Amino acid sequence: MVELLEQREQILDPMRPEPFVIQRVGRESYDTFTVELAPRDPYRTFDFAPGQFNMLYAFGVGEIPISISGDPSHPERLVHTTRAVGTVTNAMSNLKVGDEIGVRGPFGNEWPVNQASGHDVVLVAGGIGLAPLRPALYQVLRHRERYGKVVLLYGTRSPEDILFRSELERWRARFDLEVYITVDYADSKWHSNVGVVTKLIPKAPFDPLHTVAMICGPEVMMRFTAIELQKRGVSNDNIYVSMERNMKCAVGFCGHCQFGPVFICKDGPIFTYQQVQSWVTRWVV
Amino acid sequence: MKAIETLLAEHDFFKDLEPQYLELIAGCGKNVRFDAGQYIFHEGESANEFYVIRYGQVALEAHDHRRGQVTLQTLHEGDVLGWSWLIPPYRWHYNARPLTLVRAIALDATCLRTKCDEDHHLGYELLKRFATVIVDRLDATRLQVLDVYG
Ligand SMILES: Cc1cc2nc3c(=O)[nH]c(=O)nc-3n(C[C@H](O)[C@H](O)[C@H](O)COP(=O)(O)OP(=O)(O)OC[C@H]3O[C@@H](n4cnc5c(N)ncnc54)[C@H](O)[C@@H]3O)c2cc1C
């Protein structure tokens, strides 16, 4: 028993990766994939809040922060959606069912899903940004009656980059959720919006004075989205963004992810636009 | 059926325009309807009208020899379609293809240009509104070029 407790103590050390086994791998697009993981320790559950991330370790290659993209009400399934952009993410994209990944986490704060209660909710995602927002949408839909209008605005480069297609179809079919998708470029087979995601904001159905907006995507996209939301009258402290910087320890020791006066790993990654506005418009941070 | 003047007054583009100008503009307008796929105009054709979209979705397209028809932007209810009628040589730069049924008000370009030449205040009001639309589209294009989902 003492031995078992000692083992679990070690596992809870935030710097020690815990082995998880890949249960499922799904291709979302040509460069993006989703893995479903289960802990090797059968007693381990994985509770997390929407917006939190894990440090995923591809053994022998490296460790990177990746947001959890699964449903917080199913903590038995740890889900991550990753775009292959470099050394570690490419190595991970080659892993198969049965392979192992080291996991540290969950880290970071959460999307303001509870604070948004009583408000309209606007989720704005760009590219891979839909993955970190998905847990927030799951939770909002689980308690749909607590919210006013719920709107998802999603922009990608092209129709081929759209993630979670079948789920988006299901969300689109709901009467209590407005989903608008737009792409930057398309051929004539595409019958929906073309234009950047910010252009969906002026006509999106929400009451700006009673809206909580959550934005996730590359920084430039979040900046221009926040500007459009401000133009509609949403206040900066009701606009939330998820920030990214290179991370190493994920617990606020190493300073790699310092962003102005804060560390993204422990003070974020989610901030109000009010908190970060003056930093995201400077190029040296 | 609502008069064109009333329909224009309800449209964002003409918001707060003085009633006598709405009447002048409405005098150049007619209701039009396009089915999905029925081109509204093609690149290179004379820009004899511009359109105030009341319902539906229109794709602005350009032909690329490698990729075929490329959609550059979509316009919707509440948008105006076309500003080539304002600038010589008054020819469309893109194709406009309805993706759905489209209902719009078509405003005759020669009629409008004549009225703007006669009344510069009307011309100024219209140009101010088009300048906003053009800046807005330029911003959107810049964001597309920035490749914001990088
Ligand atoms: C809190 C947090 C949450 C994150 N959540 C996710 C997620 O859910 N899914 C996901 O796919 N990614 C996510 N990321 C980004 C992810 O951590 C990086 O893409 C990853 O670290 C890249 O590692 P690499 O070794 O594959 O690339 P590297 O070899 O380090 O970089 C290779 C190339 O990719 C570029 N690159 C690096 N990071 C990014 C990036 N974020 N976007 C675009 N290009 C990049 C580099 O500039 C370089 O040119 C998150 C980052 C943070 C900080």
Side-chain angles (χ1 to χ4, degrees):
Chain A
M1 186 67 187
V2 174
E3 207 174 87
L4 196 68
L5 282 176
E6 269 173 10
Q7 247 179 16
R8 293 189 57 74
E9 288 280 284
Q10 278 179 345
I11 284 169
L12 295 177
D13 172 356
M15 293 309 289
R16 175 186 287 259
E18 200 185 329
F20 273 61
V21 182
I22 297 181
Q23 306 291 313
R24 252 168 54 92
V25 181
R27 287 270 141 214
E28 302 292 346
S29 72
Y30 59 94
D31 64 355
T32 302
F33 58 96
T34 295
V35 289
E36 221 176 280
L37 305 166
R40 216 163 50 181
D41 172 0
Y43 299 104
R44 172 82 152 105
T45 56
F46 207 95
D47 290 309
F48 69 95
Q52 287 195 297
F53 65 94
N54 282 324
M55 294 302 288
L56 300 187
Y57 182 32
F59 294 112
V61 185
E63 198 188 36
I64 51 167
I66 298 289
S67 302
I68 304 170
S69 67
D71 187 341
S73 65
H74 286 286
E76 73 285 1
R77 283 202 296 264
L78 177 59
V79 183
H80 285 284
T81 303
T82 306
R83 182 158 148 200
V85 295
T87 315
V88 181
T89 48
N90 276 319
M92 280 182 183
S93 76
N94 293 324
L95 295 177
K96 295 179 192 61
V97 172
D99 288 345
E100 288 193 347
I101 286 184
V103 176
R104 290 195 292 129
F107 297 117
N109 62 357
E110 57 190 286
W111 290 112
V113 174
N114 293 329
Q115 294 95 301
S117 177
H119 289 73
D120 290 352
V121 177
V122 178
L123 306 175
V124 191
I128 185 72
L130 184 57
L133 268 178
R134 189 168 70 160
L137 183 56
Y138 284 141
Q139 210 167 56
V140 166
L141 293 179
R142 177 159 296 274
H143 303 287
R144 181 63 188 84
E145 71 288 350
R146 294 185 189 161
Y147 305 94
K149 294 197 171 107
V150 181
V151 183
L152 171 65
L153 309 177
Y154 179 36
T156 66
R157 272 183 188 152
S158 73
E160 291 72 45
D161 293 283
I162 293 173
L163 306 181
F164 312 136
R165 272 173 181 272
S166 48
E167 206 161 23
L168 279 167
E169 288 303 326
R170 281 204 298 282
W171 288 335
R172 253 185 155 160
R174 288 179 68 130
F175 292 115
D176 57 357
L177 172 65
E178 303 276 344
V179 178
Y180 299 91
I181 301 173
T182 186
V183 300
D184 271 355
Y185 301 99
D187 64 19
S188 51
K189 292 198 281 297
W190 173 251
H191 283 258
S192 195
N193 299 303
V194 175
V196 278
V197 70
T198 53
K199 294 294 151 196
L200 298 176
I201 290 167
K203 289 181 193 160
F206 60 86
D207 175 352
L209 298 180
H210 302 281
T211 286
V212 170
M214 305 175 208
I215 318 174
C216 192
E219 214 162 291
V220 60
M221 168 260 163
M222 295 200 288
R223 232 168 61 213
F224 285 102
T225 302
I227 292 170
E228 285 300 324
L229 287 165
Q230 287 163 350
K231 278 197 215 156
R232 278 275 311 253
V234 183
S235 75
N236 271 351
D237 44 14
N238 279 332
I239 301 175
Y240 291 79
V241 294
S242 180
M243 301 302 299
E244 282 188 15
R245 283 294 180 275
N246 277 342
M247 274 179 196
K248 288 281 175 239
C249 75
V251 287
F253 291 151
C254 74
H256 264 84
C257 65
Q258 181 155 11
F259 178 63
V262 296
F263 288 149
I264 288 187
C265 65
K266 78 172 178 53
D267 304 310
I270 290 149
F271 298 91
T272 65
Y273 199 61
Q274 182 73 31
Q275 289 172 289
V276 295
Q277 184 175 22
S278 62
W279 295 99
V280 291
T281 45
R282 298 182 197 188
W283 67 276
V284 197
V285 280
Chain B
M1 206 169 88
K2 286 188 188 174
I4 295 216
E5 198 178 325
T6 316
L7 294 174
L8 291 180
E10 289 168 358
H11 201 278
D12 265 359
F13 184 76
F14 296 102
K15 199 165 164 243
D16 299 331
L17 190 67
E18 292 159 48
Q20 76 268 27
Y21 288 132
L22 274 177
E23 198 185 326
L24 275 179
I25 295 168
C28 300
K30 65 176 186 221
N31 276 302
V32 289
R33 197 198 108 146
F34 301 91
D35 292 327
Q38 176 196 358
Y39 276 83
I40 302 175
F41 51 76
H42 286 98
E43 182 182 336
E45 289 174 355
S46 291
N48 296 325
E49 289 175 323
F50 88 92
Y51 302 87
V52 174
I53 303 174
R54 294 184 46 224
Y55 173 84
Q57 190 174 1
V58 180
L60 278 183
E61 295 178 343
H63 187 77
D64 177 89
H65 73 284
R66 283 168 300 129
R67 291 181 291 173
Q69 295 292 349
V70 178
T71 305
L72 304 169
Q73 186 181 34
T74 47
L75 301 175
H76 313 87
E77 197 173 310
D79 288 330
V80 293
L81 167 62
W83 59 66
S84 302
W85 68 279
L86 267 173
I87 306 145
Y90 311 123
R91 294 201 175 273
W92 296 119
H93 294 186
Y94 306 105
N95 303 329
R97 180 172 63 96
L99 297 173
T100 60
L101 168 76
V102 168
R103 279 196 290 271
I105 297 168
L107 292 153
D108 183 274
T110 316
C111 168
L112 265 187
R113 284 196 299 259
T114 310
K115 287 184 181 175
C116 290
D117 285 341
E118 284 164 3
D119 185 335
H120 288 179
H121 187 67
L122 169 65
Y124 177 61
E125 276 300 325
L126 268 182
L127 270 181
K128 266 199 304 192
R129 284 152 209 268
F130 269 104
T132 309
V133 173
I134 292 168
V135 167
D136 204 47
R137 305 255 166 100
L138 179 62
D139 272 349
T141 309
R142 283 179 173 156
L143 289 182
Q144 276 169 303
V145 171
L146 261 178
D147 190 16
V148 291
Y149 310 120

